[in-house]
Amino acid sequence: MELSTLDYSLIIGFFAIVLVIGIVVSKKSGKNTSEYFLSGRSMPWWLLGFSMVATTFSTDTPNLVTDLVRSDGVSGNWVWWAFLLTGLLTVFVYAKLWRKSDVSTDMEFYDLRYGGKPAHFLRGFRSVYLGVIFNVMAMAAVNLAAIKIGQVMLGLSPIETVLIGGTITVIFSAIGGFRGVVYTDFVLFFVAIIGAVGAAYYLVNLPEVGGVSNLIVHENVADKISILPDFSDTEALIGILIIPLAVQWWSSWYPGGEPGGGGYIAQRMLAAKNENHAIGATFFFNILHYALRPWPWILVALASLIIYPDIASIQEAFPNVEQSKLGNDLAYSAMLTKLPSGLLGIVLASLGAAYMSTISTHLNWGSSYVVNDFYKQQVNKNASERELVNVGRITTVVLMILSTIMALYLTNAKQLFDIIIMFGAGTGLIFILRWFWWRINAWSEISAMFSSGIISLILTFSSIGKHLFDHTNNAGEQVEGLMDSWVRFPMIVLITSLVWIVVTFLTPRESKATLNRFYQRTQPGGPGWKKVLAEAASDGIALEEGDKKWSVPSGVLAMVLGTILVYGCMFATGNWIYGNYPLAAGLTVGAGVAGLLLARVWNKMKDNIL
């Protein structure tokens, strides 16, 4: 594939703008760790909202969506669409609490909520566990997608791709800090969305595809377009829809979809001007992330089934692609090679934008954990602000190198998605309840974290797991176990939950001083704190501010209405595209009604509830 002068000009111009922004803000970002990691807590909701959307629009995201659509149809996306429930719970319940906590990272939360050596250990260990290990895995998936794009579209080797993209991104991230990330995310979002929509429109209208009307009736596509799985296929229904909606969204930790908020989403909430800006940012993000943005990728994935109906056809068209990198996710990059000059440059710039946005966010977020929650707490408590910023910059480079090395050994993004989901299974309920149940302690989280990982390893990779569940052997043959494969995830959740609940009651409660301090700072409210409030009152300590009602019931109602609104928009968009106009109109009206009801509930929450 040959790039024109126009294509090169668009790509180079884009990268130049990004680097200029990073250089301009570098002086202010390097003043102290608050500026470097949180921009002085002065960010408006709209800028943070665009940043969240841009961050989750990565090079691996369209590849993952393509893999899911080609394997399980459009309905396969419920494995990540279900996280909308988590996102809206964060919007209407947890965003306010995170901003009130006034911590620098969500790891610092552990020293606020818990006390003593267990809390100190949990903060330090989890900062490395998430900020380095899981963070490197997430970035490796992004780098893998970049490698595939580089091989298919530019003929670059894996090493050449990661050296070019990684070097530019790590320089920008190291000097610009969080402020540079957020400012450039605003630019990156528009470049990325223009590229995605433009590519989808052109590729769906290729002569071989013939437009949307011909696409959706094509024999390779017709059984893939349904937004809901086939209800007559019990295993698909349970695995694709029921497990994600009934169990996965609240029980599993995943970057960007953490139950109760966390990670780089929490980082942006903590950087907001105030609680209302934190709430506005997360709501704006969830609407764009789930309702509208997936459809350009889905359309390209469906079109790819006509032009590249199987992996063998992709391999035939691109014989230079390494065997270890072949997979359904490669179809997205393969389709992009058919774009004309000019649009090709915009799309490549948009993919570069997506790559830089996600990687720079993960680098800044991961280094914030290493600096604030490990180095400053475990290595040098008296470190100066300059030293901490320098450690953050060094950590940024190290994280990039580790993720690059890991990417070279991966095959597809879904591998890491499944591993991360499985390793976080059963921990999510703690992240939801720890704000509202005083009895949860540091040992609850420690036991959940370790038991989830150990149980996942046993049931997924050991001979025990292979004996228990259906699986594919080394020859690619389906082997029948004692139970269906979909049972594995809820079993991990159940065992992990039982472990941490038992440990909670077998270990000492947190001290009165710790619980009082947490309640005074965050004002979580609810029946789960009655015992603490009563004990404080008997000691002559007033913990509650004012006499307003507990906001969680209204927050849950807002979450339900928000879910109807966003899923209604998502379903409506799909049906407008498919040409199912009566159904699309009905869904649009339903989404509008949900939006009006949500506005009423939200106004009451702001005016009358704590």
Side-chain angles (χ1 to χ4, degrees):
M1 187 183 69
E2 295 293 329
L3 296 180
S4 67
T5 303
L6 175 60
D7 295 324
Y8 279 116
S9 300
L10 289 168
I11 296 167
I12 294 171
F14 159 74
F15 282 113
I17 290 171
V18 170
L19 285 174
V20 166
I21 293 174
I23 293 168
V24 169
V25 303
S26 63
K27 185 175 181 180
K28 190 168 186 179
S29 295
K31 287 172 59 179
N32 53 56
T33 51
S34 177
E35 285 290 343
Y36 192 75
F37 295 121
L38 292 173
S39 301
R41 301 182 190 270
S42 60
M43 287 287 162
W45 68 270
W46 57 271
L47 199 53
L48 293 171
F50 275 118
S51 179
M52 291 179 190
V53 181
T55 292
T56 51
F57 186 166
S58 180
T59 45
D60 66 320
T61 317
N63 285 24
L64 174 63
V65 169
T66 302
D67 198 344
L68 293 170
V69 170
R70 288 173 63 90
S71 301
D72 300 313
V74 173
S75 62
N77 286 282
W78 281 104
V79 296
W80 67 275
W81 280 344
F83 282 117
L84 170 66
L85 301 172
T86 305
L88 291 182
L89 195 64
T90 298
V91 171
F92 297 112
V93 175
Y94 294 101
K96 172 188 67 177
L97 297 172
W98 276 112
R99 191 60 187 85
K100 279 187 173 183
S101 72
D102 204 36
V103 294
S104 296
T105 67
D106 55 324
M107 294 297 108
E108 187 180 331
F109 171 89
Y110 292 122
D111 278 338
L112 173 65
R113 175 63 177 83
Y114 312 123
K117 291 182 179 180
H120 198 57
F121 165 79
L122 184 61
R123 179 179 179 181
F125 182 84
R126 198 162 174 80
S127 66
V128 175
Y129 182 69
L130 296 183
V132 178
I133 299 173
F134 272 67
N135 194 27
V136 163
M137 285 197 289
M139 288 192 294
V142 179
N143 280 317
L144 173 65
I147 287 171
K148 294 192 174 192
I149 291 168
Q151 284 190 317
V152 170
M153 300 187 71
L154 302 173
L156 298 174
S157 70
I159 293 294
E160 288 172 331
T161 299
V162 294
L163 279 178
I164 295 170
T167 300
I168 295 172
T169 305
V170 80
I171 291 172
F172 155 74
S173 302
I175 63 175
F178 183 74
R179 188 180 299 273
V181 170
V182 173
Y183 284 1
T184 53
D185 275 350
F186 183 72
V187 178
L188 299 178
F189 168 79
F190 290 102
V191 175
I193 203 69
I194 290 169
V197 172
Y201 180 82
Y202 183 86
L203 295 172
V204 167
N205 287 288
L206 286 171
E208 303 97 306
V209 179
V212 173
S213 58
N214 289 326
L215 170 67
I216 61 177
V217 297
H218 193 279
E219 60 181 355
N220 293 357
V221 177
D223 63 343
K224 301 280 190 181
I225 65 172
S226 177
I227 300 173
L228 295 172
D230 182 358
F231 279 44
S232 64
D233 186 343
T234 304
E235 186 169 349
L237 178 64
I238 294 173
I240 292 174
L241 185 66
I242 295 178
I243 294 297
L245 285 177
V247 182
Q248 180 181 296
W249 73 269
W250 57 263
S251 66
S252 191
W253 181 94
Y254 188 78
E258 301 88 344
Y264 54 77
I265 299 297
Q267 184 186 31
R268 279 151 180 74
M269 291 188 287
L270 293 168
K273 288 182 178 180
N274 54 43
E275 297 153 32
N276 286 334
H277 280 268
I279 293 169
T282 47
F283 189 44
F284 180 71
F285 155 65
N286 278 280
I287 291 176
L288 289 185
H289 180 57
Y290 293 100
L292 301 176
R293 195 176 56 183
W295 284 105
W297 304 330
I298 290 171
L299 288 172
V300 174
L302 292 172
S304 76
L305 288 165
I306 297 176
I307 296 176
Y308 305 105
D310 51 30
I311 295 176
S313 61
I314 300 175
Q315 184 177 23
E316 182 180 355
F318 303 95
N320 294 328
V321 173
E322 294 181 8
Q323 185 72 28
S324 63
K325 305 303 179 189
L326 283 171
N328 276 316
D329 58 338
L330 202 63
Y332 188 81
S333 302
M335 291 294 291
L336 297 183
T337 62
K338 297 185 174 296
L339 295 175
S341 176
L343 181 55
L344 177 60
I346 292 173
V347 169
L348 281 174
S350 77
L351 292 172
Y355 174 84
M356 289 189 67
S357 175
T358 302
I359 290 292
S360 60
T361 288
H362 277 271
L363 290 173
N364 188 268
W365 164 54
S367 63
S368 75
Y369 282 3
V370 173
V371 170
N372 289 313
D373 305 300
F374 183 76
Y375 187 85
K376 189 176 180 180
Q377 303 301 317
Q378 312 283 347
V379 179
N380 186 1
K381 293 183 178 180
N382 299 315
S384 66
E385 287 294 314
R386 180 179 293 275
E387 179 182 347
L388 293 174
V389 170
N390 288 335
V391 171
R393 286 172 170 159
I394 293 170
T395 303
T396 296
V397 176
V398 173
L399 289 174
M400 188 70 209
I401 293 172
L402 292 175
S403 68
T404 298
I405 294 171
M406 187 175 188
L408 298 175
Y409 293 93
L410 293 173
T411 301
N412 64 66
K414 187 133 189 329
Q415 286 176 309
L416 284 182
F417 180 87
D418 291 338
I419 290 172
I420 293 174
I421 287 290
M422 204 67 73
F423 268 70
T427 61
L429 191 59
I430 286 184
F431 304 142
I432 292 174
L433 293 180
R434 63 189 181 181
W435 294 87
F436 300 110
W437 186 26
W438 69 274
R439 191 60 183 83
I440 288 178
N441 59 30
W443 290 109
S444 307
E445 293 212 28
I446 292 171
S447 62
M449 179 174 58
F450 282 103
S451 61
S452 176
I454 293 169
I455 295 164
S456 295
L457 285 172
I458 293 173
L459 296 185
T460 304
F461 301 106
S462 73
S463 58
I464 296 174
K466 291 180 179 178
H467 179 69
L468 285 175
F469 307 107
D470 296 344
H471 65 280
T472 303
N473 63 19
N474 294 331
E477 302 167 332
Q478 193 67 28
V479 179
E480 189 173 337
L482 296 177
M483 290 178 277
D484 292 331
S485 57
W486 63 262
V487 178
R488 180 187 287 110
F489 182 83
M491 183 175 287
I492 296 171
V493 172
L494 176 62
I495 297 172
T496 300
S497 298
L498 289 174
V499 168
W500 74 255
I501 290 171
V502 170
V503 168
T504 297
F505 287 106
L506 290 179
T507 51
R509 56 171 278 175
E510 297 295 340
S511 68
K512 288 184 180 181
T514 297
L515 295 173
N516 290 349
R517 179 188 63 200
F518 175 76
Y519 196 97
Q520 283 182 318
R521 175 86 66 87
T522 62
Q523 298 290 301
W529 288 95
K530 282 186 177 180
K531 182 178 176 66
V532 173
L533 292 173
E535 290 178 348
S538 66
D539 294 335
I541 302 172
L543 297 181
E544 290 193 289
E545 298 175 359
D547 56 356
K548 292 185 178 180
K549 295 178 181 178
W550 189 36
S551 64
V552 170
S554 295
V556 172
L557 176 59
M559 168 198 164
V560 173
L561 292 171
T563 300
I564 296 171
L565 167 63
V566 176
Y567 280 150
C569 290
M570 183 182 77
F571 278 43
T573 302
N575 281 284
W576 283 118
I577 292 171
Y578 291 163
N580 300 329
Y581 299 129
L583 179 56
L587 289 166
T588 302
V589 171
V593 171
L596 292 173
L597 293 173
L598 176 60
R600 292 184 62 182
V601 171
W602 175 239
N603 286 330
K604 289 182 179 179
M605 287 176 65
K606 287 197 301 183
D607 295 339
N608 302 318
I609 300 176
L610 181 65

